[in-house]
């Protein structure tokens, strides 16, 4: 596969780095969610990547991006409780479908999948940018992918990660209008949305494992 598209092995490696990022930052994710939610986001995200890893281990070595992302979608839609699991599942499902229409996972497929995933999540969750949800990270990530259509996927995903982390940091100053955080009022102010952090972790893991959230939340 050329540098203009991610093949199945590269997509599987991305999923593996996302798993490693979630495990490395699970305690930080839990701490964030204890301040702005039910406190179970870190455990739920870890359960999702663990289930996805089992499905990917059973997949053939020749599995392409569509199958790899489809396994992630199945794991999150079927195995993860809470609100976050199905929403992440919808994103992975949209990316899988977009990959199926291309020869490999191109930047255009990534942009299409992210946009369609965002649309599905907004439709199901009834959330908009500014509501302090994962949409606040996914919307700028999708926009960055669309703006980088002429770039190879690795470069486009780096731009998506940058956009997602900016969105994460902006959620710290937002008043939550959705989910449990909306009931906490000012107690959730100053705390980045954990779901948005999860989205940023996914895009950032395309380039490498995220070992700590602190540098990204501080904007370094």
């Amino acid at each position: 596969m050329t540098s203009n598209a991610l093949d199945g092995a590269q997509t599987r490696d991305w999923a593996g780095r996302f798993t490693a990022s979630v495990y490395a930052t699970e305690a930080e994710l839990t701490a964030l969610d204890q301040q702005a939610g039910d406190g179970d986001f870190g455990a739920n995200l870890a359960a999702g990547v663990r289930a996805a890893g089992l499905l990917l281990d059973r997949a053939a070595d020749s599995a392409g991006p569509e199958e790899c992302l489809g396994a992630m979608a199945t794991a999150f839609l079927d195995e993860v409780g809470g609100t976050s699991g199905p929403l992440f599942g919808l994103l992975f499902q949209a990316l899988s479908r977009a990959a199926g229409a291309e020869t490999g996972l191109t930047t255009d497929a990534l942009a299409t999948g992210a946009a369609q995933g965002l649309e599905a999540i907004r439709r199901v969750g009834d959330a908009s940018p500014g509501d302090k949800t994962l949409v606040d990270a996914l919307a700028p990530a999708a926009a960055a992918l669309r703006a980088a259509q002429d770039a190879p996927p690795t470069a486009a995903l780096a731009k998506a990660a940058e956009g997602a982390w900016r969105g994460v940091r902006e959620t710290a100053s937002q008043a939550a209008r959705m989910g449990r955080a909306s009931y906490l009022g000012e107690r959730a102010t100053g705390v980045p949305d954990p779901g948005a952090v999860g989205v940023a972790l996914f895009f950032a893991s395309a380039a490498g494992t995220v070992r700590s959230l602190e540098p990204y939340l501080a904007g370094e």
Side-chain angles (χ1 to χ4, degrees), residues 4 11 13 33 49 57 62 76 82 98 106 156 159 182 191-192 203 207 215 219:
N4 291 324
T11 306
D13 288 345
D33 200 38
V49 296
D57 286 344
S62 59
F76 275 80
T106 62
K159 292 294 184 182
S182 65
V191 181
F203 286 109

Side-chain angles (χ1 to χ4, degrees), residues 59-217:
D61 291 340
S62 59
E66 180 182 12
E67 291 86 353
C68 293
L69 290 162
M72 295 176 70
T74 297
F76 275 80
L77 288 168
D78 294 351
E79 302 295 336
V80 181
T83 303
S84 58
L87 297 182
F88 275 84
L90 288 173
L91 172 60
F92 300 143
Q93 185 179 69
L95 287 167
S96 174
R97 289 173 176 168
E102 300 286 345
T103 304
L105 193 54
T106 62
T107 297
D108 185 63
L110 286 164
T112 297
Q116 291 178 348
L118 174 62
E119 180 181 357
I121 287 169
R122 290 192 61 181
R123 183 173 61 250
V124 170
D126 197 28
S128 299
D131 285 344
K132 194 167 184 166
T133 71
L134 62 84
V135 165
D136 290 295
L138 183 53
L145 287 169
R146 184 58 65 193
Q149 283 189 84
D150 294 332
T154 51
L157 285 166
K159 292 294 184 182
E162 290 175 8
W165 286 121
R166 282 196 302 272
V168 166
R169 292 189 291 272
E170 288 173 3
T171 64
S173 61
Q174 293 168 348
R177 293 193 286 268
M178 304 290 293
R180 180 173 174 78
S182 65
Y183 299 104
L184 299 177
E186 293 184 358
R187 284 180 291 169
T189 302
V191 181
D193 179 70
V197 174
V199 169
L201 275 180
F202 173 62
F203 286 109
S205 296
T209 300
V210 176
R211 301 293 180 185
S212 172
L213 299 179
E214 185 176 357
Y216 299 95
L217 300 184

Side-chain angles (χ1 to χ4, degrees), residues 2-84:
T2 71
S3 60
N4 291 324
L6 302 180
D7 60 20
Q10 291 168 317
T11 306
R12 192 191 294 257
D13 288 345
W14 178 9
R17 289 190 296 271
F18 179 46
T19 297
S21 294
V22 171
Y23 287 160
T25 61
E26 182 179 354
E28 292 174 275
L29 291 168
T30 296
L32 286 176
D33 200 38
Q34 286 171 339
Q35 298 175 73
D38 294 325
D40 60 356
F41 180 73
N44 285 342
L45 200 61
V49 296
R50 188 177 302 114
L54 293 173
L55 291 179
L56 286 167
D57 286 344
R58 298 187 201 123
D61 291 340
S62 59
E66 180 182 12
E67 291 86 353
C68 293
L69 290 162
M72 295 176 70
T74 297
F76 275 80
L77 288 168
D78 294 351
E79 302 295 336
V80 181
T83 303
S84 58

